[in-house]
Amino acid sequence: MKFKPRSRAGKFDWLIVCAIAVALLLSVFFLREYPNRIVTGIIALTLLGVFLYFYYLVVSVRKMSYTVQNNGLRIQYGFHDILLPYDAITNVELVRRSNWKKLFGVAWRDYFAGYFKENKFGIVRIYGTTNLDMVYIKTKTERFAITPANNQLFFEELDMRWKKPVTNKKDALYAERTVHKRLWQDPSALVLSLLGIASGIAQLALAIYVWVSGRAVSLLDYSLTGNMMEQGSYYELLIFPAATLFFVLRATWANDVFLQNGGQSKRNPQLFTLWVALALLAVMSSILFIGY
């Protein structure tokens, strides 16, 4: 039986998507004759990427579902299709109120998807629309939290297919223990973090080089009307290292929290963050040295 998540107000989601789409169309219109095509392309591609990302989020939460089927509990969200076999589920309980911090994922206006640090339960993968009356599902490897529209019917369907395993207190106590580890004790995670930070420092060094050398950056010497401007200080270049260091340091912190709570290093989000950092470095370098 398939359950939808608890209802939520979704009009705000579409307002954001429409606003980004309007900004994209206006930027293409006003920059259609802008002499610096690279800057025009960067702005258009950035807005297009933001639009596609938010559109994916809106569609994902609307199609989010939980299915109680014969071979297990299935959670569907966006590109994620997670099957929890009944023999892997060790406990299911209703939690009246949850308090958490986002590590990797989405958290906005009654919309939670991804990995979170919950005060009581530690690392939890949440796919839901509220922090009240959540169904917490513990497996042998990790913990999930969902928000079916009808909790009573959900438990009734689940009870017909899943039986809580019997464990003694000693085994239960041992199962709750976590192995504490820090980021610097995980070589691959540490390398990814250091490379991302190095990318941000390199971008900052490039900005300082431009300021100290006083060289003109031709791609930034035009106003939005296409008129030539006097050479400026190019403080707008700081957006590249600022964005890089913010996302890299946050991903580093999130991964460290994972390791402290006995979780596995989340290399995929860190690797994605590194690729973004290197892409920003490449874009900044192309802007500074184009035609130089």
Side-chain angles (χ1 to χ4, degrees), residues 19-265:
I20 297 173
V22 170
L24 173 61
L25 295 175
L26 289 177
S27 66
V28 172
F29 176 78
F30 285 110
L31 296 176
R32 65 188 187 283
E33 296 182 358
Y34 193 66
N36 295 321
R37 309 315 298 172
I38 292 182
V39 172
T40 303
I42 291 174
I43 295 175
L45 289 176
T46 300
L47 288 173
L48 178 61
V50 173
F51 169 77
L52 293 175
Y53 174 70
F54 276 95
Y55 181 79
Y56 167 76
L57 294 183
V58 171
V59 173
S60 295
V61 70
R62 287 180 172 270
K63 293 186 177 181
M64 185 189 298
S65 65
Y66 326 110
T67 306
V68 180
Q69 52 193 46
N70 293 331
N71 61 337
L73 174 63
R74 185 178 297 277
I75 302 174
Q76 292 176 299
Y77 165 78
F79 296 125
H80 299 275
D81 190 349
I82 306 166
L83 178 64
L84 306 179
Y86 292 125
D87 58 0
I89 298 176
T90 59
N91 188 47
V92 180
E93 61 182 308
L94 184 67
V95 178
R96 295 300 180 185
R97 185 178 184 86
S98 300
N99 296 290
W100 57 62
K101 292 182 180 179
K102 184 186 74 172
L103 297 177
F104 296 107
V106 182
W108 72 346
R109 196 176 178 85
D110 298 330
Y111 179 6
F112 309 101
Y115 291 86
F116 294 75
K117 170 64 169 61
E118 215 281 335
N119 293 342
K120 180 180 178 181
F121 298 100
I123 304 298
V124 182
R125 290 182 68 176
I126 300 175
Y127 297 98
T129 56
T130 178
N131 68 332
L132 301 176
D133 294 330
M134 302 191 72
V135 177
Y136 272 62
I137 304 161
K138 182 183 177 184
T139 70
K140 295 177 180 178
T141 56
E142 53 188 334
R143 197 184 297 267
F144 295 81
I146 59 177
T147 57
N150 189 327
N151 282 338
Q152 181 178 350
L153 183 57
F154 176 82
F155 276 103
E156 290 175 358
E157 290 290 325
L158 188 64
D159 288 341
M160 290 190 296
R161 297 171 176 82
W162 172 77
K163 301 301 178 183
K164 185 176 181 178
V166 179
T167 56
N168 58 52
K169 294 183 178 180
K170 182 178 179 180
D171 292 339
L173 179 63
Y174 180 78
E176 290 293 332
R177 294 176 181 173
T178 56
V179 179
H180 295 277
K181 191 177 181 181
R182 300 307 299 268
L183 183 79
W184 51 83
Q185 295 173 311
D186 189 308
S188 59
L190 179 61
V191 169
L192 290 175
S193 298
L194 292 178
L195 288 176
I197 294 173
S199 175
I201 294 175
Q203 294 167 33
L204 184 60
L206 286 175
I208 295 175
Y209 161 73
V210 172
W211 300 336
V212 173
S213 65
R215 72 180 295 271
V217 181
S218 60
L219 290 177
L220 301 177
D221 281 340
Y222 290 90
S223 67
L224 290 178
T225 60
N227 297 321
M228 190 72 176
M229 298 187 302
E230 295 182 1
Q231 179 184 353
S233 299
Y234 306 124
Y235 290 116
E236 59 268 30
L237 292 176
L238 283 176
I239 191 174
F240 293 96
T244 295
L245 290 174
F246 171 79
F247 288 110
V248 168
L249 291 176
R250 195 193 181 287
T252 300
W253 164 80
N255 212 344
D256 187 48
V257 173
F258 260 89
L259 295 171
Q260 289 184 64
N261 286 269
Q264 297 296 319
S265 175

